[in-house]
């Protein structure tokens, strides 16, 4: 029976729909059986269409065919939906792209890139999701795949999220051919954690390498089965190895020969008997030929037949240990030879250490372990124990201890006791005692000396003072009040110019600054000073330089004496001397005139004397008259000595003046006295003249006179020497007597007297037959050297 007619099925629409679904990459890529079914359905559909067109099959057949087709289509849709759900729910980000643009992404891809849905991504360019510096490389892969050329199917790159943040990723790519063209399917993995882990592993490895370098350690591994050795960078550095892999015999040759047998035995003991492997040995490193001390600890893994070990460069540790041992030996020697008592006790007073000085002091042989009460008299021990406890409680105590040594001598010690930390927690006591017995005696001597000198300073009629290099008073004796009317405390810290009249301050300051620059030791000057009440007074100042232990000038010290009355007395004495000198001159002239007249009359009388006896008497009278004239001449010269004050005189000039009055044309002279000046009486020229006249009178054969000097610790010696016959040895001790001489007999006597006024001594030291040599010894304060003008 013919059923009611129904509209014919839309086979083309259904076919397009099925083909459209079949063209999806998911169905084509992962469900080949689905593609086969689709192909069969297409074929059957074609056959049905053909039958419908050619035979006009019955409605029942068409209905059955339609139902079958609908069922297959629904099955295809369910399969596609399951596949899509599978891809969408996959935790692995998946994308489909064509011509460099997204056509599909799953939810995991959206989450990875920070997008909310696929709609935000589909249609966009792939390169928009790639970091700029990687886009050219990725674009090259896309172009190659589009042209069907080989391209990387797995690589790493850097992606961009929606918010602009970056993430490293790894991508696996496949090209799927479809009827409407190929499509690119890719699985993307965010490798941020892996990269972080790789970076952390890299940093950890670098830190391990750095730690090995700092600690001078390394690790190594012996593969006994393979007979190979591997080592870390630290181990290679210690051993001086190059390369990555070595044989066991190669490494065993690195230690010095004297250690190899021991190392081989220890290794066998570890492997075969399980004995510990912990050795120290020395190697000669091949890279720098250095000797290196090495410590190695190893363990054996029987399962892998491998020995794993750690080595450490202990060269510096061994050097430090040796240095410490030497230091301890030196410290022990120091403590044992220290000229002071050193000891350590526990809290109960038992001796833990005492040095040799302390043992010798009390005659102890082995005091360690014995208590203070056992070693010392009871009263001394109890006193020391109290001090010990006090030191432990307070931390430090300084005491003076009086004890009797083994020889019965009383000794005084300055002792410092102090608490010592102990690892056990119980306090210890340390002590150092210095014998100050002699110091105390010396202090007593010093105090006595200070008291004596203080008494001298206070009793001295002269002012004693000290000033610094700025001219300020640092010490003034009490005499200042009686001399200047000031109290000492009024002038301390004030400049010395406080005691000078205003018109003399500038010149005195210049002289002081010059003295500071030159550091001149001994200076004697006379100055006008100003009393506290305003009147002027004359003073003599004697000063010397004050220096510290290093020789640096720190100031000056000296004495000041009031010479006001002495100046007045000297002035009065000078006037008296002048008057007496005038009287002497008048008297000498009168006597000399009378003597000359008498001599003249005597000569006239001789002409009339015929008697031989009378003539003899007359000749004796003439000799007496000459003697009177000579004595008058000497007295005239002698009275001039000391009349005028001594002064500084240039030796070379004075010698030249001395010979200028004598006939020295036939005698050469050499005066090598440079810039020497001596402090002598103004008659020094007369003294030099008498010495030179002595050459002319007594050294007839002399052709040369020399003068030079030598500086000695006690002054200067001036030499005057000729090359004449010299003075006989037997006459050397009388040549300076008044009665010695062929003519006047007063020449050298007068020389000695003139020189002695200022403390200059003279003696003759020449060798008879080679010339006379006069040595003038000038004291330190009697000479100086002045620059050439």
């Amino acid at each position: 029976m013919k059923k009611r007619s129904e509209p014919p099925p839309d086979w083309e629409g259904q076919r397009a729909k099925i083909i459209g679904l079949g063209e999806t990459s998911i169905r084509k890529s992962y469900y080949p059986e689905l593609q086969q079914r689709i192909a069969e359905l297409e074929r059957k559909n074609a056959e049905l269409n053909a039958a419908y067109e050619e035979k006009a099959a019955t409605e029942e057949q068409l209905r059955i065919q339609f139902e079958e087709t609908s069922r297959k289509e629904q099955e295809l849709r369910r399969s596609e939906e399951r596949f899509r759900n599978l891809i969408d729910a996959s935790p692995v980000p998946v994308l489909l792209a064509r011509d460099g643009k997204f056509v599909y992404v799953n939810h995991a891809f959206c989450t990875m890139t920070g997008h909310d849905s696929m709609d935000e991504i589909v249609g966009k360019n792939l390169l928009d999701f790639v970091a700029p510096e990687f886009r050219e490389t990725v674009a090259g892969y896309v172009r190659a795949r589009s042209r069907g050329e080989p391209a990387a199917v797995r690589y790493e790159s850097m992606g961009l999220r929606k918010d602009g943040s970056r993430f490293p990723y790894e991508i696996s790519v496949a090209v799927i051919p479809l009827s409407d063209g190929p499509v690119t399917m890719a699985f993307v993995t965010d490798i941020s954690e892996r990269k972080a882990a790789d970076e952390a592993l890299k940093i950890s490895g670098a830190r391990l390498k750095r730690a090995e370098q700092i600690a001078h350690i390394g690790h190594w591994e012996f593969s006994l089965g393979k007979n190979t050795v591997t080592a870390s960078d630290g181990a290679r550095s210690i051993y001086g190895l190059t390369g990555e892999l070595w044989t066991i015999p190669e490494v065993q040759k690195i230690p010095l020969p004297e250690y190899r047998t021991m190392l081989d035995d220890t290794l066998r003991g570890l492997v075969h008997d399980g004995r510990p492997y912990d050795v120290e040995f020395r190697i000669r490193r091949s890279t720098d030929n250095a000797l290196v001390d090495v410590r190695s600890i190893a363990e054996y893994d029987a399962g892998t037949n491998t020995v794993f070990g750690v080595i450490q460069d202990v060269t510096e540790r061994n050097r430090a240990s040796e240095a410490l041992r030497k230091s301890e030996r030196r410290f022990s020697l120091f403590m044992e030879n220290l000229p002071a008592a050193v000891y350590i006790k526990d809290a109960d007073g038992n001796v833990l250490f005492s040095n040799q000085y302390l043992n010798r002091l009390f005659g102890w042989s082995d005091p360690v372990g014995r208590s203070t009460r056992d070693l010392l008299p009871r009263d001394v021990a109890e006193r020391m124990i109290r001090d010990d406890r006090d030191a432990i409680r307070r931390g430090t105590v300084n005491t003076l201890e009086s004890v009797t040594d083994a020889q019965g001598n009383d000794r005084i010690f300055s002792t410092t006791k102090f608490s010592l930390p102990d690892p056990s927690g119980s306090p210890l006591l340390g002590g150092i005692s210095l014998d100050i017995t002699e110091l105390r005696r010396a202090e007593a001597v010093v105090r006595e000396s200070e008291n004596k000198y203080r008494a001298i300073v206070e009793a001295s009629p002269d002012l004693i003072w000290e000033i610094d290099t700025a001219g300020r008073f640092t010490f003034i004796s009490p005499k200042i009040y009686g001399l200047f009317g000031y109290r000492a405390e009024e002038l301390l810290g004030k400049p010395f110019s406080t005691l000078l009249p205003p018109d003399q301050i500038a010149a005195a300051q210049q002289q002081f600054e010059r003295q500071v620059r030159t550091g001149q030791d001994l200076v004697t000057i006379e100055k006008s000073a100003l009393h506290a009440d305003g009147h002027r007074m004359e003073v003599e100042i004697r000063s010397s330089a004050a220096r510290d232990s290093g020789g640096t000038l720190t100031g000056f010290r000296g004495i000041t004496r009031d010479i006001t009355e002495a100046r007045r007395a000297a002035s009065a004495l000078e006037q008296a001397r002048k008057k007496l000198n005038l009287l002497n001159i008048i008297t000498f002239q009168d006597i000399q005139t009378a003597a000359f007249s008498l001599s003249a009359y005597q000569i006239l009388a001789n002409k009339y004397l015929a008697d031989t006896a009378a003539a003899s008497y007359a000749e004796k009278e003439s000799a007496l008259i000459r003697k009177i004239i000579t004595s008058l001449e000497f007295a005239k010269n002698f009275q001039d000595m000391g009349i005028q004050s001594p002064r500084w005189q240039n030796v070379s000039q004075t010698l030249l003046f001395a010979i200028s009055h004598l006939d020295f044309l036939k005698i050469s002279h050499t005066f090598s006295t440079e810039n020497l000046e001596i402090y002598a009486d103004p008659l020094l020229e007369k003294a030099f003249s008498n010495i030179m006249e002595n050459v002319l009178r007594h050294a007839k054969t002399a052709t040369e006179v020399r003068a030079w000097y030598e500086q000695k610790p006690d002054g200067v010696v001036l030499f005057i020497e000729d090359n004449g016959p010299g003075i006989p040895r037997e006459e050397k001790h009388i040549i300076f007597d008044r009665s010695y001489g062929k003519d006047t007999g007063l020449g050298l006597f007068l020389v000695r007297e003139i020189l002695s006024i200022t403390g200059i001594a003279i003696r003759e030291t020449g060798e008879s037959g080679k010339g006379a040599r006069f040595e003038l010894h000038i004291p330190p304060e009697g000479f100086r050297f002045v620059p050439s003008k």
Side-chain angles (χ1 to χ4, degrees), residues 145-343:
R145 280 191 288 270
S146 298
R147 294 192 295 267
E149 299 173 354
V153 297
R154 187 184 182 94
Y155 60 89
E156 293 182 3
S157 186
M158 185 67 67
L160 292 176
R161 297 188 179 92
K162 182 180 179 179
D163 61 4
S165 61
R166 300 158 69 99
F167 66 95
Y169 66 84
E170 182 181 73
I171 186 168
S172 298
V173 182
V175 178
I176 303 173
L178 298 176
S179 59
D180 59 344
V183 65
T184 300
M185 182 177 182
F187 296 89
V188 184
T189 304
D190 185 344
I191 58 173
S192 298
E193 292 184 359
R194 192 186 79 189
K195 285 287 186 181
D198 290 344
E199 182 63 23
L201 182 60
K202 183 179 179 181
I203 292 173
S204 178
R207 287 175 176 170
L208 176 60
K209 182 178 179 179
R210 180 59 178 160
E212 285 188 346
Q213 291 175 347
I214 293 173
H216 301 288
I217 62 174
H219 61 271
W220 51 269
E221 188 174 293
F222 278 13
S223 177
L224 299 179
K226 298 179 182 179
N227 196 33
T228 58
V229 179
T230 56
S232 67
D233 290 343
R236 289 199 297 270
S237 175
I238 294 172
Y239 271 105
L241 296 170
T242 57
E244 299 294 333
L245 191 68
W246 310 271
T247 65
I248 293 177
E250 287 175 340
V251 174
Q252 288 176 324
K253 292 180 181 179
I254 296 176
L256 297 181
E258 56 265 32
Y259 296 97
R260 294 174 188 171
T261 301
M262 179 271 294
L263 291 172
D264 292 343
D265 292 342
T266 307
L267 181 60
R268 281 192 295 270
L270 171 67
V271 174
H272 299 299
D273 304 326
R275 292 199 298 268
Y277 185 97
D278 187 349
V279 293
E280 284 195 20
F281 54 95
R282 180 169 291 180
I283 67 171
R284 184 174 293 280
R285 187 161 51 208
S286 59
T287 51
D288 57 4
N289 205 36
L291 288 174
V292 181
D293 293 334
V294 175
R295 183 186 181 190
S296 182
I297 303 174
E299 62 180 19
Y300 173 62
D301 185 352
T304 59
N305 196 23
T306 301
V307 178
F308 178 81
V310 177
I311 63 170
Q312 182 179 12
D313 181 350
V314 294
T315 306
E316 292 303 321
R317 187 203 69 182
N318 289 350
R319 289 175 181 170
S321 297
E322 180 61 25
L324 179 60
R325 284 192 293 272
K326 290 181 179 178
S327 177
E328 289 175 345
R329 287 196 296 269
R330 286 194 295 266
F331 180 74
S332 178
L333 288 172
F334 170 78
M335 293 298 289
E336 292 300 336
N337 293 280
L338 186 69
V342 181
Y343 53 88

